[in-house]
Amino acid sequence: MAKPAVVLIGADKGGVGKTTVARTLLDYFTANQVRVRAFDTEVPRGTLKRFHPEMTEIVDINLVPDQMKIFDTLQEGDASVTLIDVRAGLMSPTLKALRDIGFIDAAKKGQLTFAVFHILGPSIASLDEIAETAAYLGDAKYFMVKNFINNTHFFEWDEATHSSYFKRIKDAVEITIPKLSEMATEQVELASVPFVTFIANKKRSGEAANNSFVLRGYVRHWLGNIWAEYDRIGVTEIVRPKELAGEPVGRPRPVMRIAEAAS
């Protein structure tokens, strides 16, 4: 059995599109036949669970019993990847708890794979978050995600300031999430389905929907660009060995396959 992988998605600042990134990753893993389960820490009403109810459980990451529910079961069941969508403001406390329970050390020893997707805001405060996060990460795969959900302009200061923060974590990788049009975003929200289901023009039940052809096209193009970023950084290669993959890791995928993933 492959060693378990934990993908943590978080930010200490709210409103940076954290759950949107989590949703694109769940679609990506599913399309690549990576078995995944998810935990939504937005108690009591989780946003991630609304879009992926079958694979998502709501937990309070501050409570020891819920921490046990996540980390004591990493090697149970069929899922090889555990995705945790961390509520705004809990990024640093969650990483501290992982350090305290020995999770970070276990990752250092190669007993499990740990990857962090840190969703950054546009201000200098987000760069300060990087400094805090670095203290807990150990050898985790660290991805700094610029999410342009609000036509945000990132890091508008001198290059020396930018570099002084970004070089604090060895082998950190930057990812860019492009902006999706407001109308397309709104329609997917109203449909309350995964992005690939919306693209495939289906309801959660599997019945045909009546989604706009134009808006489905925008979502398909947007999601294709994001998946190309995940291919570029080798997400599937990180969370499972190459020999277990169904196809070569990082191979460019035709955008039309996104809709096929929902069938």
Side-chain angles (χ1 to χ4, degrees):
M1 181 178 178
K3 65 181 177 181
V6 174
V7 176
L8 188 147
I9 303 166
D12 280 331
K13 183 181 183 300
V16 293
K18 177 177 48 61
T19 299
T20 298
V21 174
R23 288 159 57 195
T24 65
L25 277 166
L26 288 180
D27 280 345
Y28 181 81
F29 286 137
T30 301
N32 282 279
Q33 300 181 328
V34 175
R35 295 184 302 276
V36 60
R37 63 176 185 163
F39 290 95
D40 186 339
T41 68
E42 192 176 305
V43 178
R45 183 181 61 186
T47 303
L48 184 62
K49 186 172 178 62
R50 179 160 65 90
F51 294 96
H52 294 270
E54 298 84 3
M55 62 177 69
T56 305
E57 185 174 353
I58 298 176
V59 295
D60 188 338
I61 198 70
N62 292 309
L63 299 180
V64 172
D66 281 5
Q67 293 172 359
M68 294 169 64
K69 187 181 297 183
I70 299 170
F71 300 107
D72 284 359
T73 61
L74 289 178
Q75 293 185 310
E76 298 178 7
D78 293 331
S80 58
V81 176
T82 296
L83 182 146
I84 306 172
D85 183 5
V86 179
R87 193 180 72 199
L90 291 183
M91 175 76 155
S92 295
T94 298
L95 289 171
K96 181 180 183 298
L98 294 185
R99 183 194 63 186
D100 292 346
I101 67 174
F103 177 89
I104 302 295
D105 283 340
K108 285 182 179 179
K109 294 174 182 176
Q111 297 170 4
L112 52 88
T113 299
F114 183 36
V116 174
F117 285 73
H118 187 173
I119 318 302
L120 300 174
S123 69
I124 193 73
S126 274
L127 294 185
D128 288 332
E129 284 184 29
I130 295 173
E132 285 188 43
T133 303
Y136 302 111
L137 279 182
D139 294 331
K141 302 290 184 181
Y142 183 64
F143 302 104
M144 303 185 200
V145 184
K146 297 179 182 178
N147 190 3
F148 288 82
I149 57 170
N150 298 313
N151 283 328
T152 304
H153 297 284
F154 281 84
F155 313 133
E156 295 176 335
W157 45 78
D158 65 277
E159 182 62 27
T161 300
H162 175 280
S163 298
S164 68
Y165 282 90
F166 274 65
K167 289 180 180 177
R168 294 187 186 192
I169 300 180
K170 182 183 178 182
D171 300 324
V173 177
E174 291 185 51
I175 302 175
T176 298
I177 303 294
K179 178 178 170 57
L180 178 62
S181 75
E182 288 88 349
M183 188 171 291
T185 300
E186 182 180 89
Q187 288 303 304
V188 179
E189 293 283 326
L190 290 173
S192 296
V193 295
F195 293 114
V196 291
T197 304
F198 182 85
I199 293 167
N201 203 24
K202 293 182 179 180
K203 298 179 181 178
R204 185 177 303 283
S205 63
E207 298 175 356
N210 190 29
N211 301 322
S212 161
F213 176 83
V214 171
L215 297 182
R216 287 191 290 126
Y218 277 121
V219 176
R220 180 187 296 111
H221 178 74
W222 172 80
L223 192 59
N225 286 334
I226 295 171
W227 282 13
E229 282 284 86
Y230 296 158
D231 283 342
R232 175 181 65 83
I233 63 176
V235 169
T236 53
E237 184 177 356
I238 290 168
V239 300
R240 66 179 180 181
K242 288 184 179 181
E243 60 269 19
L244 296 180
E247 62 183 56
V249 175
R251 191 173 92 184
R253 109 192 35 259
V255 173
M256 288 304 295
R257 284 189 53 196
I258 296 173
E260 294 173 11
S263 60

